Amino acid sequence: MAGKMTAAQGTGILLVTANVGSLFEDPENLQKIWLREFYQTVQSHKPHFLAVHCQEVGGKNYEASMSHVDSFVKELLSSDAMREYSRARVYLDENYKSQEHFTALGSFYFIHESLKNIHQFDFKAKKFKKVVGKETYSETLESTPSLEKEKFPQDYFPECKWSRKGFIRTRWALADCAFDLVNIHLFHDASNLVAWEKSPSVYSGTRQKALGYALDRITDQRHEKLPYFVFGDFNFRLDSKQVIESLCSTAAMQTVRAADTNEVDKLIFRESDNDRKVVLQLEKKLFNYVYQDVFRENNGTSLLQYDKELSVFKDRLHELEISFPPSYPYSEDSSQGKQYMNTRCPAWCDRILLSPSARDWAVVCFSSPSSAG
């Protein structure tokens, strides 16, 4: 997902967020395709300042795939498509051996050679410093002064022993406009069956708690309050109970229980006619809905009414109009790139959000804001 803004004085800013976990498990295929599309986006928009927030750097099986991260970074920094970006800052949280701190977040910032006046904030010295050259930081992010990194408290999501969820904050000054950029990864839905149990789901509450924590931290009294942009993998989901009741409104539900525990193992929704065709099978990690086109038609607009998690923060976060289909979970088979996997209900997990002051600041400093996915 990308959001583009063009400054009135001619400075273009491009914000990009991407969960890149699968790229490191298939570097010869998926990573090359992703990089090609990324370069085309950069060439199309030609931003002066480019911020790329990545989640799950190193892949889901990071112990085996983290070795591919270095080549990915070298490719980005040295590629022909990025040759006009003479300065860069790369922050990689890849120290997976430090489980109490590891978030697998990666924040990439590229500055075009034509942009002369840009500074980055030093949170320890509490002052802005001019950005010169290209620098990459990894493993020691906790002591890196040009960012703030936090992992969410473990008790926020106790069923996931080694959660990698957290956020990284950087602060920038472009001419007379200073702002924060926050890379964030919130908790996922561990089970479709649990998500279905009530509205809103228990997972929605966990994400709400974590996002509130992050917003409180970036607006506390330690530093001057500035406009902020929060973009990353929020893992926001459609209200499972309500969307399933809508998609299967004329279907009968069958409950299948595990023989040994008597716990619900599967839900099967069958049409009342049409030879009792199965329209949805729901399991812990299965969401097999037969009419998948509903998530793509008209960019899935009919389902936005079930996208409710951001409404809790309506006074603290704003979003441009969504004009793209659900961003998750697309197939990881490159030959089926427009299909969704049958693992989760498609949803708009990847977002670019801005604070009220950032919205007002963008109106003053920028013209023609737009969002695309």
Side-chain angles (χ1 to χ4, degrees), residues 21-49:
S22 57
L23 303 190
F24 300 99
E25 288 152 27
D26 186 8
E28 290 303 313
N29 191 19
L30 290 179
Q31 189 175 122
K32 287 183 178 179
I33 294 172
W34 189 93
L35 285 168
R36 182 187 67 209
E37 295 296 320
F38 172 73
Y39 294 147
Q40 288 178 357
T41 299
V42 173
Q43 292 300 308
S44 173
H45 294 294
K46 300 186 184 304
H48 298 88
F49 179 80

Side-chain angles (χ1 to χ4, degrees), residues 325-339:
S327 58
Y328 169 88
Y330 277 111
S331 172
E332 295 176 0
D333 180 346
S334 59
S335 66
Q336 301 290 326
K338 293 185 178 181
Q339 297 292 313

